[in-house]
Amino acid sequence: AWVAAAGPGSNLLMALIWLGIAWCAVSFGGVVPWIVPLYRMGILGVVVNVVLGVLNLFPLPPLDGSRVLAGILPPAGARILYRIEPYGLFIVALLLASGVLNVILGPPMDGLINLLLAPLPAMQ
């Protein structure tokens, strides 16, 4: 479970690094011409890594969230979870295409993105 949690954890760490890059761009202001693209890249880095991290925590095989869940479930529950693994990627694709995954994961993604980016000043 700890090894599986490292994937989403690294996404959160990368989101924080990108947030730091965006903050550095804000602190330089408009001094150099490449600051605004660096700022936008920092924001995009935060968004992409939060989306990947939250998606990866979804408890459906083959995503890391299923490994975390299997690590805390009793063995019988973990076996049931592993039985659906051959179909997991198709289920994830179906949930994504139908919009159900956005309904489930959209609020946590939006909340975390807003939490990280809200204090960041806007830059032109």
Side-chain angles (χ1 to χ4, degrees), residues 57-69:
L57 276 175
F58 192 65
L60 184 68
L63 302 174
D64 285 336
S66 68
R67 308 280 188 247
V68 173
L69 182 60

Side-chain angles (χ1 to χ4, degrees), residues 15-118:
L16 293 174
I17 291 169
W18 281 112
L19 181 62
I21 290 170
W23 271 106
C24 287
V26 167
S27 68
F28 277 104
V31 177
V32 287
W34 47 265
I35 287 297
V36 173
L38 185 66
Y39 171 80
R40 291 182 181 155
M41 190 173 19
I43 290 175
L44 188 59
V46 169
V47 171
V48 166
N49 279 288
V50 166
V51 167
L52 289 174
V54 171
L55 174 65
N56 212 6
L57 276 175
F58 192 65
L60 184 68
L63 302 174
D64 285 336
S66 68
R67 308 280 188 247
V68 173
L69 182 60
I72 60 176
L73 282 175
R79 277 192 295 275
I80 292 170
L81 189 61
Y82 287 132
R83 266 197 246 152
I84 65 170
E85 188 164 10
Y87 315 105
L89 193 56
F90 299 110
I91 296 170
V92 170
L94 181 66
L95 292 173
L96 187 61
S98 67
V100 172
L101 203 56
N102 188 40
V103 171
I104 296 169
L105 298 180
M109 283 182 202
D110 291 341
L112 189 54
I113 290 168
N114 289 333
L115 178 73
L116 293 173
L117 293 180

